[in-house]
Amino acid sequence: MSEEKKSLNFIEQIIETDLKEGFDKSKLKFRFPPEPNGYLHIGHASSICLNFGLGLRYNAPVNLRFDDTNPIKEESAYVNAIKKDVEWLGFEWAEECYASDYFQQLYEWAVEMIKNGQAYVDSQDSEKIAEQKGTPTEPGQPSPHRERSVEDNLELFEAMKNGLTEPRAHVLRAKIDMSSPNMLMRDPVMYRTLHQAHHRTENDWCIYPMYDWAHGESDFIENISHSFCTLEFQPHRELYNWFIKCVSQEGELEPKQREFARRNLSHTIVSKRKLLQLVESKVVDSWDDPRMPTISGLRRRGYTPASIKNFANDIGIGKRENMIDVSRLEFSVRDDLNKTAPRVMTVLDPLKVVITNYPEGEEEMLVAENNPEDENSGTRELPFSREIYIEKEDFREEANRKFFRLKLGKEVRLKNAYFIKAEKAIKDDDGNIIEVHCTYDPETKSGSGTEASKRKVKGTLHWVSVKHAKPAEVRLYDRLFTVDDPTADKEKDFLDFVNPESLKVITAQVEPSLTSAKELDKFQFQRIGYFCVDQDSTSDHLVFNRTVTLRDSWKGK
RNA sequence: UGGCCUAUGGUGUAACUGGCAACACAUCUGGUUUUGGUCCAGAAGAGUCUAGGUUCGAGCCCUAGUAGGCCAACCA
């Protein structure tokens, strides 16, 4: 690995500074802390690449920790999906942890805090508590229960824990400062009472810790040195530190929370809540629908781990609002697939071509390069015969000289085959071209090295032999939304901007070698784009997903 | 009537902590090419939100504005 002098992002600079100031490098430890209430999306990829990237850079452990403190929204199905995605991206976590593993410790600490007068049970409903909280510009009012005795608090908290009180009748609150300019410091709720089974602890608990009370403590328990989260948690930092001070002893490692900006991607949304809405409203088929910006959706769409990691590293991390153009992501897959995807010939919109001077009934095998970008990719054989399909848009009766394709009286090269000249367009009663008659020049066979085969022609077309072609379902995916930022217009619902043409299903004719393609195999359909075998594909019914089109600099039609 | 964060080409990040703004994507030219792909060469595009200040010198420091974001779930 050549150590390129790449400038450090601000997170890396924080770590470098800590190291310089004497922080023990062997104590560096990070974590990626998803909540198992939905699938990971491209925004999480940035966080994953940041945390695991740091782990690799400093040879430090990185825990995968599920922030599972809200049993109402969380499920083990999400846990499994998340693990699969992180693994697929190619990262290895040091330990698989759960905030729920710490429920007992958290409870014991809470009891201590009650004894220390740092927490109390409030017996008001959430509306009342919110009311007393004040506003950002006005101080809050103390709860009437704020000065409850330690004995009463202990007794009530115990009752809450044992499910002897009504759900939501009481909460445990930290006693901090009802007039703090930081709303989060106005006696935040530490525990709510929920008589709800948890996906891991089942019915062991009737009280569940809130994020603020669980997250920093989890970091502390795991000896996480640096805890990175997104910008909206900035105001939580003060509380994060306050809680850790409550439970830590002198000299113990106190994790450091720092915040970075979440990545926004144009023409899509990166919000688990909205993604869930797309799934539930059936706009898409599932969390892994290839139009979804989820890791699983991108995987099914044909994205590679490398393309996603390169993308994340290229866009870097910062602290400002951002909107990254999808073209950046698209560049990343093309860049990767160009080097690795075998080239094949497929015709998406077939037009039959009859080569009138090619002997009837005859066929031959031609040699085709698998990938000109990869010397080791080898060659394969392609059947050629008298009747072939080409793309409808590759033929015109007449066209200007900017049209590098087939037109009457002119010659083009058939990729890996011969030169053909269009002689006659056959039309139906409505004047639609249904067939083209051509002649070929036997001297122009590809790879023959003849003078004739070196002739300059207007262009090169892909094709597939009619007799040998296999039909395949091809799903043409496009951007999910028609605008950059579907959430920008506060008057409208983001669903109003769903692209009605985000999926078009067609039947294409593909070269026979594709019948052996397996799920997730990726190909470049020459002159068209990159495609990937969908999970729905079978040997009887091939299904390909379009990952992305080829870059197209032709400004004609 | 508050607190915190942010402000660099169309987009995203840089600028060795003060030395006349770089890289990538996107855009446009030209060349190569059995993919109008790739690759190669090149162009255009910001003078760093504004106004002051410190300094020989400021995108980097200070002050005051302006703009945007976040904070009043028993969500995370």
Side-chain angles (χ1 to χ4, degrees):
Chain A
M1 275 263 197
S2 63
E3 198 51 37
E4 203 176 305
K5 277 269 180 332
K6 196 173 179 291
S7 51
L8 304 178
N9 63 47
F10 83 98
I11 293 286
E12 291 163 336
Q13 284 177 11
I14 286 169
I15 293 169
E16 287 297 325
T17 302
D18 286 345
L19 255 22
K20 225 163 276 170
E21 291 174 351
F23 188 88
D24 185 350
K25 186 167 183 285
S26 70
K27 289 200 161 62
L28 286 177
K29 193 172 184 183
F30 312 102
R31 105 264 97 113
F32 171 61
E35 183 191 7
N37 67 340
Y39 280 56
L40 259 26
H41 55 64
I42 186 69
H44 294 110
S46 272
S47 177
I48 292 170
C49 291
L50 171 69
N51 286 296
F52 284 95
L54 251 17
L56 258 19
R57 181 187 184 96
Y58 293 102
N59 191 27
V62 184
N63 285 350
L64 172 63
R65 183 173 69 237
F66 292 94
D67 230 331
D68 56 349
T69 57
N70 185 356
I72 295 169
K73 293 182 175 175
E74 297 149 6
E75 299 173 19
S76 52
Y78 291 131
V79 169
N80 296 332
I82 289 167
K83 285 165 65 177
K84 179 178 176 183
D85 289 347
V86 175
E87 274 174 342
W88 177 72
L89 282 173
F91 293 113
E92 276 179 47
W93 51 84
E95 287 181 80
E96 178 180 333
C97 308
Y98 295 81
S100 54
D101 289 342
Y102 315 131
F103 282 175
Q104 180 63 29
Q105 172 67 266
L106 255 12
Y107 164 74
E108 287 168 19
W109 275 331
V111 169
E112 283 310 302
M113 286 175 66
I114 291 173
K115 290 179 182 167
N116 295 335
Q118 294 175 122
Y120 63 95
V121 174
D122 198 347
S123 308
Q124 307 178 96
D125 58 34
S126 57
E127 290 73 26
K128 197 72 194 165
I129 290 174
E131 214 174 280
Q132 290 164 355
K133 211 153 206 168
T135 70
T137 55
E138 292 168 87
Q141 300 302 317
S143 160
H145 307 114
R146 199 169 197 262
E147 302 306 329
R148 236 198 294 245
S149 71
V150 169
E151 292 66 35
D152 289 353
N153 279 324
L154 251 18
E155 194 177 313
L156 267 170
F157 189 48
E158 193 63 12
M160 286 161 64
K161 177 191 178 248
N162 294 328
L164 304 176
T165 62
E166 284 299 304
R168 297 182 183 271
H170 310 276
V171 292
L172 185 73
R173 288 229 259 170
K175 191 194 274 190
I176 310 181
D177 177 4
M178 288 307 289
S179 59
S180 169
N182 183 348
M183 298 291 291
L184 288 155
M185 299 300 277
R186 323 246 260 227
D187 290 10
V189 172
M190 292 171 68
Y191 278 101
R192 71 279 223 191
T193 323
L194 298 174
H195 295 178
Q196 165 89 33
H198 182 278
H199 69 103
R200 297 187 80 243
T201 62
E202 299 179 343
N203 294 305
D204 293 352
W205 296 88
C206 295
I207 52 171
Y208 289 93
M210 300 291 291
Y211 166 85
D212 289 296
W213 170 235
H215 197 87
E217 283 34 62
S218 300
D219 285 341
F220 176 70
I221 290 167
E222 293 173 22
N223 287 310
I224 300 302
S225 62
H226 298 263
S227 176
F228 301 113
C229 57
T230 45
L231 243 31
E232 63 269 28
F233 290 97
Q234 229 287 357
H236 294 247
R237 193 150 110 192
E238 190 180 0
L239 181 55
Y240 178 98
N241 293 146
W242 190 90
F243 274 137
I244 285 175
K245 276 276 180 281
C246 288
V247 303
S248 66
Q249 305 294 311
E250 185 70 26
E252 286 185 304
L253 172 67
E254 293 181 14
K256 178 184 272 193
Q257 173 183 308
R258 286 298 180 272
E259 311 79 16
F260 60 91
R262 52 179 293 184
R263 281 16 277 244
N264 296 301
L265 233 208
S266 77
H267 302 278
T268 189
I269 43 166
V270 277
S271 145
K272 270 196 271 185
R273 209 195 98 247
K274 292 197 174 72
L275 256 17
L276 177 62
Q277 230 179 302
L278 285 171
V279 174
E280 289 181 337
S281 62
K282 303 264 194 280
V283 169
V284 297
D285 297 330
S286 54
W287 280 99
D288 71 346
D289 185 297
R291 289 166 291 184
M292 291 282 270
T294 50
I295 304 289
S296 52
L298 291 168
R299 172 169 58 231
R300 194 170 162 191
R301 177 80 170 254
Y303 277 73
T304 57
S307 68
I308 292 174
K309 289 190 279 193
N310 290 341
F311 168 74
N313 292 331
D314 285 351
I315 61 178
I317 67 160
K319 294 189 77 168
R320 31 186 158 155
E321 290 298 303
N322 57 78
M323 178 61 78
I324 292 137
D325 203 294
V326 259
S327 64
R328 195 66 176 262
L329 219 208
E330 293 169 348
F331 164 80
S332 193
V333 236
R334 287 195 191 103
D335 191 43
D336 190 36
L337 259 20
N338 174 51
K339 291 175 276 190
T340 57
R343 320 277 127 133
V344 293
M345 292 204 281
T346 67
V347 176
L348 302 192
D349 189 14
L351 172 63
K352 193 195 234 181
V353 167
V354 179
I355 300 163
T356 54
N357 60 337
Y358 193 89
E360 225 155 322
E362 188 166 314
E363 54 186 72
E364 64 183 303
M365 295 305 277
L366 301 171
V367 177
E369 215 176 1
N370 285 327
N371 186 349
E373 300 299 313
D374 178 3
E375 289 178 0
N376 303 317
S377 64
T379 60
R380 69 184 184 290
E381 291 197 312
L382 275 175
F384 183 77
S385 62
R386 192 170 190 265
E387 295 185 345
I388 60 169
Y389 290 122
I390 63 168
E391 297 290 345
K392 260 192 189 107
E393 61 170 27
D394 282 342
F395 172 75
R396 284 185 197 170
E397 290 181 272
E398 292 174 50
N400 63 26
R401 44 237 72 89
K402 289 281 201 180
F403 187 73
F404 297 168
R405 306 177 185 192
L406 187 64
K407 57 183 172 182
L408 287 179
K410 297 292 180 185
E411 203 174 40
V412 292
R413 181 197 300 275
L414 288 178
K415 178 93 183 166
N416 300 126
Y418 300 92
F419 289 5
I420 55 170
K421 190 201 283 186
E423 309 285 0
K424 188 176 166 196
I426 311 295
K427 300 180 185 175
D428 64 14
D429 295 343
D430 299 323
N432 302 309
I433 298 168
I434 50 168
E435 200 173 295
V436 180
H437 286 187
C438 295
T439 50
Y440 87 119
D441 180 348
E443 294 303 308
T444 58
K445 184 172 178 177
S446 288
S448 65
T450 60
E451 280 310 308
S453 71
K454 292 174 186 165
R455 216 150 61 208
K456 280 285 171 200
V457 282
K458 204 60 180 164
T460 301
L461 306 186
H462 60 276
W463 54 273
V464 70
S465 165
V466 171
K467 182 182 171 191
H468 310 273
K470 306 292 176 196
E473 175 177 334
V474 174
R475 300 174 180 169
L476 302 173
Y477 292 105
D478 202 347
R479 299 171 178 183
L480 226 203
F481 293 93
T482 54
V483 295
D484 282 28
D485 181 3
T487 66
D489 190 340
K490 301 298 175 208
E491 307 293 298
K492 291 186 177 169
D493 190 80
F494 75 100
L495 294 175
D496 295 343
F497 298 102
V498 168
N499 178 5
E501 308 206 322
S502 61
L503 169 60
K504 266 186 264 182
V505 181
I506 60 169
T507 299
Q509 296 296 331
V510 309
E511 65 168 72
S513 73
L514 249 15
T515 49
S516 58
K518 300 281 181 301
E519 182 182 343
L520 251 33
D521 280 354
K522 294 156 183 70
F523 300 92
Q524 185 197 90
F525 287 6
Q526 272 181 134
R527 301 213 304 135
I528 301 171
Y530 294 99
F531 293 73
C532 157
V533 179
D534 189 76
Q535 62 196 31
D536 295 342
S537 192
T538 65
S539 51
D540 295 337
H541 183 77
L542 294 168
V543 181
F544 293 94
N545 295 329
R546 179 170 72 194
T547 308
V548 67
T549 61
L550 244 35
R551 187 161 165 266
D552 185 1
S553 56
W554 186 41
K555 289 163 294 292
K557 209 207 71 144

